[in-house]
RNA sequence: GCGGACGUGGCGAAACCGGUAGACGCAGCAGACUUAAAAUCUGCUUCCUUAAAAGGGAGUGUGGGUUCGAGUCCCGCCGUCCGCACCA
């Protein structure tokens, strides 16, 4: 055994062993329980970042631990390889996205291997492989057949300079992020997936996901957004009938039908047909409608914008009283929710109140608080009353509670054919068309005679040409004659291939299923998914709480309904890991713009309390300002390249630091000193084993332990070792608190260091303690554990070792420490035999001189005894 | 605005079911080794009181409450972070 810990040599040796023995290959084995451990696959952006290292280390620790528990573990890896950054890199460097992407995959794969993750690389694939996206296309066509996929014209962000659609995130202050050109809203035909058909199921099943974090479930619940309410129809008055047709009605959706008699205006969205008709003959109205439609896309702005509006010059009639009600167009009404129109009840809705105030519209109170705390909306400054209560001034419904009134009004409206109860969802159908090159082609052909014709299955996949280089203007696919020109599969005439590609979220919506049968060439999945699915533990960033995780739940159900699989929920347990943070330093640059300085280039400065105040540049000693902690990012220049960490300290130190610095769900603060501390620990562990095996007699075979004849110190060390085993098992397996698991092993190693008994069995006791330390750490620092395990005299690798159960005999304690409190304050500690009865414990406590001092002769009123733990004497 | 989470030493954190607050690590201080430094090892390290020790007191954002006992449970307030954001 080497005397010095040499991470590079250790890691090379361990990785070679795993490689030669095919240690990570997962094979279906119905005789053994399976464990599918999956970390979200990466986008091949170039190099791994710390977030990746954290994500994959968490997964790897769990995978290796469960393997030691006897599970047949699958931990695969793939690449979310389609997407915009590849196109941007292509524009910048003139390289085809395919080349850039595959180069990045090669580099990042090597990085993942160097970190020693127990990944079954035989199942690897990238979503840009035709053998994968073939099945995106095939599944899309099945959805089209069933009406789950459909075509509709929808509104998108359009950059007029680049001639392309922009994602919402690429629109900054209403302008394209690359061109700076004002973004237009365009109506473009797109393909949609009917996720709303699954809304009820997706919502209800959230309750059956106890292994998911509460907050992710709450976020999805809110996103799906189920509302129970009433759809009401307001018949057109004469002016509207003249312009729009005799039998027309204005429909609205409301959750507060009980406030129907408080309606004093109607408001429609700027995209509502009524607004468009009215605007067609009124230039000022047309200008307003246009302004609203072009309005800011920033969500926060929308919420705080003043409630503006204009009269349409049209009226509708109240369904019950027949009174004429003026129709307005208002900027706060959303076309995409409900009917794109609302009934305005200023007395009982904050937004309607604000609007009415601004435009001098009447406010009519029709609900009062049942507790009579609220009487009346009188003066203009009084806010609206939005709570349920008892109806007043509401015709035959007066006196009813809000709840009863909603039912009664819905029923009455239904009898007149002017309404019904219904559900409204916030969730919208998922538009998957992207006017982008680097994505999965949508398998359709547009024929003048036959219309939109699906590509026949036997012609799949529609292969994306990989040699195109986008130049930033539009989709190069659309200009690629070889791709576009095609014959109609139905009539054989020249036709045009669809050049839109699929949203990359499609690619990631079922990749976890494909891992179970990655080599299946004739179907998207096969019988093997029955064995591996569901994913037992999924690990990834909270940023995917809604989109990716909701789409995957939807897609899994679609595949279920297509008869391909027989499960609904893909991820049994979900762990959302926290962000990786680092300090931010900057200098004031030109025009007050901050120039961010990488923390590696500065030496921090602290005040007398040790609080970080700033720093100086390493070379020039010039001062830089401190900007607090923030997520590692390019823009703040506070990233740390994992590769430099691995090169300097090795993969095990990188893994150990990531797991030790904080529990996995919390954010993790980067610390160079912390990394060194973990490196120090591994060196100490190495040294402890080295000293043990090179000590006199250390070369002998592994010593056997006779537990019957041990000194007190030896029994203490044994107890600590077995307690550590129990604690680490619970912390990794149940609590997922890797930081406390590591701390426990550190305590054990400290105890080994302090154990210096010269007794005959010392070597056996120390051997056992070190074995437990190495075994317990092996999921976290697998390389160093691999070598130390052999060094401790084992002939088989630690990776194939089973987790050990703590020895009850070692855990048993003859004497326990009992804490004595007087009036709840700690006053003494006693050594008592384990299992002492209350009487014995209290008597012992009362006999203690320290305790007597605090009782000071006062009568004992009560004694609380917690066996083997504590006595509290109340005087 | 609505919803959720959180608030513990100089710092990251621990305390799992209401029972010893601060495990473990970082930083710091002292000592050993060394010509010296680094590395390593040993010890100390919440605050106040004290020359020091012993001893005592205080202490988990803040004010109350429940309890023999509260970092943990309940109520109010302050603050931080995250998510959603005109969803009728």
């Amino acid at each position: 055994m080497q005397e010095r810990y040499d991470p590079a040599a250790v890691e090379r040796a361990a990785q070679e062993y795993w490689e030669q023995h095919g240690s990570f290959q997962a094979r279906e084995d119905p005789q053994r329980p399976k464990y599918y451990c999956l970390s979200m696959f990466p986008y091949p952006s170039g190099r791994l970042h710390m977030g990746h290292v954290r994500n994959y280390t968490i997964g790897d620790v769990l995978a290796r631990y469960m393997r030691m528990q006897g599970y047949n573990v699958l931990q695969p890896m793939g690449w979310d390889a389609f997407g915009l950054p590849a196109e941007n890199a292509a524009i910048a460097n003139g390289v085809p996205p395919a080349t850039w992407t595959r180069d990045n995959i090669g580099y990042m794969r090597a990085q993942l291997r160097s970190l020693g993750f127990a990944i079954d690389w035989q199942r690897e694939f990238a979503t840009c492989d035709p053998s994968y996206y073939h099945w995106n296309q095939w599944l899309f066509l099945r959805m089209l057949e069933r009406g789950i996929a459909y075509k509709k014209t929808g509104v998108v962000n359009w950059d007029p300079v680049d001639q392309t659609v922009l994602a919402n995130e690429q629109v900054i202050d209403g302008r394209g992020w690359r061109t700076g050109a004002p973004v237009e809203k365009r109506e473009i035909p797109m393909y949609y997936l009917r996720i709303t058909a699954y809304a009820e199921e997706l919502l209800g099943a959230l309750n059956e996901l106890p292994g998911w974090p509460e907050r992710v479930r709450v976020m999805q619940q809110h996103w799906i957004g189920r509302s129970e309410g009433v759809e009401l129809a307001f018949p057109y008055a004469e002016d509207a009938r003249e312009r729009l047709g005799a039998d027309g009605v204005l429909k609205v959706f409301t959750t507060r039908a009980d406030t129907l008699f408080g309606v004093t205006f109607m408001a429609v969205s700027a995209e509502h047909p009524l607004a468009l008709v009215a605007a067609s003959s009124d230039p000022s109205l047309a200008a307003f409608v246009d302004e609203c439609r072009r309005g800011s896309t920033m969500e926060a702005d929308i919420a705080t914008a003043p409630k503006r509006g204009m009269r349409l010059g049209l009226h509708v009639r109240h369904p019950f009283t027949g009174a004429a009600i003026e129709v307005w167009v208002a900027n706060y009404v959303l076309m995409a929710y409900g009917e794109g129109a609302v009934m305005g009840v200023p007395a009982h809705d904050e937004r309607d109140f604000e609007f009415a105030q601004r435009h001098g519209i009447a406010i009519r109170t029709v609900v009062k608080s049942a507790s009579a705390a609220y009487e009346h909306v009188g003066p203009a400054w009084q806010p609206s009353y939005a709570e349920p209560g008892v109806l007043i001034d509401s015709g035959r419904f007066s006196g009813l509670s809000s709840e009863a009134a909603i039912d009664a009004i819905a029923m009455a409206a239904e009898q007149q054919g002017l309404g019904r109860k219904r559900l409204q969802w916030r969730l919208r159908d998922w538009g998957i068309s992207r006017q982008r090159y680097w994505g999965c082609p949508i398998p359709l052909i547009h024929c003048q005679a036959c219309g939109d014709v699906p590509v026949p299955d036997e012609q799949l996949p529609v292969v994306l040409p990989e040699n195109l280089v986008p130049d930033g203007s539009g989709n190069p696919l659309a200009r690629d004659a070889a791709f576009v020109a095609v014959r109609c599969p139905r009539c054989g005439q020249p036709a045009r291939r669809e050049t839109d590609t699929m949203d990359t979220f499609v690619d990631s919506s079922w990749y976890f299923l494909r891992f179970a049968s990655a080599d299946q060439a004739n179907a998207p999945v096969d019988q093997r998914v029955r064995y591996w699915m569901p994913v037992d533990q999924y690990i990834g960033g909270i940023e995917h709480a809604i989109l990716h995780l909701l789409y995957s739940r939807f897609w899994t159900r679609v595949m279920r309904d297509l008869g391909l699989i027989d499960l609904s929920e893909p991820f049994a347990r979900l762990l959302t890991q926290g962000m990786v943070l680092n300090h931010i330093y900057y200098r004031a640059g030109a025009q007050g713009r901050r120039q961010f300085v990488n923390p590696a280039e500065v030496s921090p400065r602290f005040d007398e309390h040790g609080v970080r105040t700033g720093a100086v540049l390493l070379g020039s000693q010039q001062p830089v300002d401190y900007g607090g902690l923030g997520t590692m990012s390019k823009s703040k220049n506070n990233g740390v390249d994992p590769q430099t960490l691995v090169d300097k300290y090795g993969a095990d130190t990188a893994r150990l630091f990531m797991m030790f610095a904080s529990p996995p769900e919390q954010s993790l603060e980067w610390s160079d000193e912390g990394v060194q501390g973990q490196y120090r620990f591994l060196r100490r562990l190495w040294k402890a084993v080295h000293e043990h095996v090179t000590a006199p007699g250390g070369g002998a075979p592994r010593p056997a332990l006779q537990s019957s004849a041990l000194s007190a110190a030896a029994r203490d060390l044994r107890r600590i070792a077995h307690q550590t085993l129990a604690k680490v098992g619970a912390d990794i397996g149940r609590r997922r608190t890797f930081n406390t698991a590591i701390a426990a092993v550190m305590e054990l190693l400290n105890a080994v260091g302090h154990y210096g008994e010269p007794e005959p069995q010392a070597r056996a006791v120390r051997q056992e303690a070190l074995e437990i330390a190495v075994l317990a750490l092996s999921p976290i620092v697998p390389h160093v554990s691999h070598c130390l395990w052999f060094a401790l005299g084992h002939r088989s690798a630690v990776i194939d070792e089973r987790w050990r159960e703590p020895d009850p005999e070692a855990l048993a304690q003859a004497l326990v420490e009992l804490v004595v409190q007087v009036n709840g304050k700690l006053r003494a500690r006693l050594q008592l035999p384990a299992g002492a009865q209350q009487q014995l414990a209290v008597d012992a406590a009362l006999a203690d001189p320290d305790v007597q001092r605090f009782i000071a002769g006062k009568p004992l009123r009560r004694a609380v005894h917690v066996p083997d733990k504590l006595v509290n004497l109340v005087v």
Side-chain angles (χ1 to χ4, degrees), chain A residues 427-489:
Chain A
L427 185 69
R428 323 246 165 92
D429 279 341
W430 174 17
I432 60 156
S433 296
R434 296 291 179 271
Q435 291 68 29
R436 287 285 173 185
Y437 160 48
W438 190 233
C440 168
I442 295 177
L444 279 154
I445 290 164
H446 303 292
C447 169
Q448 289 226 309
C450 310
D452 299 341
V453 182
V455 174
D457 285 354
E458 60 274 14
Q459 290 177 27
L460 295 181
V462 175
V463 176
L464 185 74
E466 293 200 354
N467 57 343
L468 305 182
V469 181
D471 58 7
S473 65
N475 182 351
L477 262 193
R479 298 190 297 260
D480 185 41
F483 181 78
V484 173
V486 68
R487 291 209 170 262
C488 171

